[in-house]
Amino acid sequence: SNAKDVLKNVPGVEFQGSARRNGQVPVIRGFDADSILILFDGTRQNFQSAHDGQFFIDPDLLKSVEVVRSPSSSLYGSGGLGGVISFNTVDAADL
């Protein structure tokens, strides 16, 4: 029902908070949201607004999720010291 459920079996990845709008905060191996690069279909998500969450996604619209932890995350560019979470959404052909 939320991103926390989608990634609950990935080692070293957890979400703090709840499924509420402002509660989905990813943590990879101790690095919080400021050190994690989040991508939707290859586009960086840099939304930050006070206590609002960093991203909003309906898991039913996800095709795949890729998690890259620590050093290999440099392949995606700067800002991913702790890692990268890349969400790929479904397209019209999938529906």
Side-chain angles (χ1 to χ4, degrees), residues 10-74:
V10 178
V13 177
E14 61 184 45
F15 279 78
Q16 295 177 344
S18 65
R20 293 183 334 194
R21 177 178 172 195
N22 62 350
Q24 295 185 4
V25 180
V27 177
I28 297 178
R29 294 185 175 174
F31 288 96
D32 63 359
D34 295 333
S35 300
I36 298 172
L37 181 59
I38 296 177
L39 305 172
F40 284 121
D41 294 328
T43 304
R44 289 174 179 251
Q45 300 300 302
N46 294 329
F47 177 77
Q48 294 180 3
S49 174
H51 296 288
D52 286 342
Q54 189 171 6
F55 61 91
F56 310 99
I57 188 72
D58 183 356
D60 290 334
L61 297 177
L62 293 176
K63 185 178 201 174
S64 65
V65 179
E66 180 182 3
V67 177
V68 181
R69 295 178 215 94
S70 294
S72 297
S73 62
S74 64

Side-chain angles (χ1 to χ4, degrees), residues 60-61 90-95:
D60 290 334
L61 297 177
V90 297
D91 54 10
D94 295 326
L95 299 174

